[in-house]
């Protein structure tokens, strides 16, 4: 079978296997109750909380968020069927953008029908969803209270300190980090999206070049800070902890501070191993 012959049924099961369980509910695959495209085999994935529709047409694989009461028209994610690892590509994009948006829809609906006190309770439950896997991976995650809301804090093997925060009624979770820059090297490639700027945009200090050479998705803001992110994707920044820090040298042990916003629970569950 050639890559161009991959069908949604063959993509749906591997995609479902790459998406983490939520509160014990794993993703399952079935035939979709309707076809989005005429004469195109279509599958439906669901974990009982959210649902996705997968279809292939004219050599491309499409994923649609299945929102209650709405017929999917425009795909949320599209991957060429010749992609060498289509399920991995789809999973990465679904985790970074589609599922966080579905969670945000659920937050808004809960606020409308049950009130914001229930929303706050649900947001605290999200922290626990991530906190227990962190503990299972050996982290000593402890409750904390931030300026903008509750959170968890833990120390990683790198020596850095992570924080996971609910910022009020912000639709997604926020990660903070303070420690050696090498502690970010495992997590960042999973969450940042490709940067399509020009090579000269990566010019900067020794500090910023060390980061942009390692992760071209990062772009310098000034000699002591880089940023990343795109529409519908996680976004954030990495910086030296003080404005007067020297920027003319770089190594993996340099202390940095960082913030990564727009993170959904599903993405965090799939990347816990990089956070401990």
């Amino acid at each position: 079978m050639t890559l161009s012959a991959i069908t949604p049924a063959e993509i749906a099961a591997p995609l479902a296997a790459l998406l983490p369980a939520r509160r014990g509910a794993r993703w399952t695959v079935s035939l979709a109750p309707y076809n989005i495209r005429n004469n195109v085999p279509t599958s439906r994935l669901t974990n009982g909380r959210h649902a996705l529709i997968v279809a292939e047409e004219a050599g491309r694989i499409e994923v649609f968020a299945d929102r209650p009461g709405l017929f999917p028209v425009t795909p949320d994610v599209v991957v060429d069927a010749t992609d060498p690892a289509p399920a991995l590509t789809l999973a990465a994009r679904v985790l970074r953008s589609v599922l966080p948006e579905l969670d945000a829809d659920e937050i808004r609906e809960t606020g409308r029908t049950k009130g914001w006190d229930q929303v706050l309770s649900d947001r605290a439950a999200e922290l626990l969803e991530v906190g227990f896997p962190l503990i299972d991976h050996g982290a000593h995650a402890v409750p904390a209270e931030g300026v903008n809301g509750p959170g968890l804090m833990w120390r990683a093997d790198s020596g850095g300190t992570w924080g996971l925060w609910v910022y009020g009624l912000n639709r997604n979770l926020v990660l903070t980090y303070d420690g050696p820059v090498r502690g970010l090297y495992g997590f960042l490639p999973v969450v940042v999206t490709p940067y399509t700027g020009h090579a000269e945009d990566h010019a900067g200090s020794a500090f910023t070049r060390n980061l942009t050479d390692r992760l071209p998705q990062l772009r310098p803001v000034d000699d002591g800070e880089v940023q990343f992110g795109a529409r519908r994707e996680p976004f954030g920044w990495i910086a030296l902890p003080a404005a007067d820090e020297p920027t003319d040298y770089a190594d993996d042990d340099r202390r940095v501070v960082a913030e990564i916003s727009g993170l959904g629970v599903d993405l965090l569950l799939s990347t816990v191993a990089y956070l401990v």
Side-chain angles (χ1 to χ4, degrees):
M1 179 187 66
T2 64
L3 286 173
S4 60
I6 290 174
T7 68
E10 292 163 334
I11 286 298
L15 174 58
L18 291 168
L19 301 177
R22 291 287 300 272
R23 303 180 187 180
R26 296 193 172 277
W27 289 83
T28 59
V29 181
S30 62
L31 291 176
Y34 51 83
N35 281 346
I36 293 176
R37 310 293 188 202
N38 290 332
N39 302 315
V40 174
T42 309
S43 301
R44 185 174 188 266
L45 283 66
T46 183
N47 63 353
R49 180 188 183 94
H50 299 314
L52 306 170
I53 302 294
V54 180
E56 182 184 2
E57 181 182 33
R60 70 181 199 164
I61 302 161
E62 299 176 327
V63 175
F64 302 77
D66 191 10
R67 294 178 169 89
L70 295 176
F71 183 84
V73 176
T74 303
D76 293 82
V77 179
V78 178
V79 171
D80 190 282
T82 59
D83 186 297
L88 285 171
T89 302
L90 288 170
R93 296 182 185 178
V94 166
L95 288 167
R96 288 196 302 249
S97 63
V98 182
L99 295 181
E101 286 193 357
L102 292 177
D103 275 346
D105 291 346
E106 191 171 79
I107 289 170
R108 285 190 289 268
E109 181 63 16
T110 298
R112 186 183 68 83
T113 59
K114 299 181 180 179
W116 292 110
D117 286 345
Q118 183 61 49
V119 170
L120 289 173
S121 176
D122 291 347
R123 303 306 316 276
E126 290 178 347
L127 289 176
L128 293 178
E129 274 193 83
V130 181
F132 286 123
L134 283 168
I135 292 170
D136 289 342
H137 279 75
H140 180 59
V142 296
E145 192 66 33
V147 174
N148 298 297
L152 298 171
M153 296 188 71
W154 67 96
R155 192 169 179 83
D157 289 343
S158 67
T161 299
W162 289 98
L164 179 64
W165 308 97
V166 170
Y167 277 9
L169 300 178
N170 187 327
R171 67 177 192 163
N172 297 124
L173 298 170
V174 177
L175 267 177
T176 58
Y177 178 80
D178 185 337
V181 66
R182 56 185 164 81
L184 296 170
Y185 291 163
F187 183 71
L188 281 178
V190 181
V191 299
V192 296
T193 56
Y195 175 51
T196 57
H198 302 290
E200 56 266 27
D201 294 341
H202 285 168
S205 67
F207 170 73
T208 61
R209 286 196 301 273
N210 178 56
L211 289 167
T212 57
D213 287 348
R214 182 179 292 273
L215 287 170
Q217 299 96 329
L218 307 178
R219 54 191 181 273
V221 178
D222 55 38
D223 284 351
E225 181 180 345
V226 298
Q227 291 184 351
F228 59 90
R231 188 178 71 87
R232 299 179 63 203
E233 304 281 0
F235 57 92
W237 49 265
I238 308 166
L240 292 168
D244 59 356
E245 288 269 353
T247 61
D248 58 351
Y249 79 94
D251 60 54
D252 291 345
D253 289 320
R254 284 218 71 174
R255 181 190 168 208
V256 297
V257 291
E259 182 174 290
I260 308 165
S261 302
L263 296 165
V265 173
D266 301 271
L267 179 59
L268 288 165
L269 290 174
S270 69
T271 56
V272 162
Y274 298 113
L275 298 172
V276 296

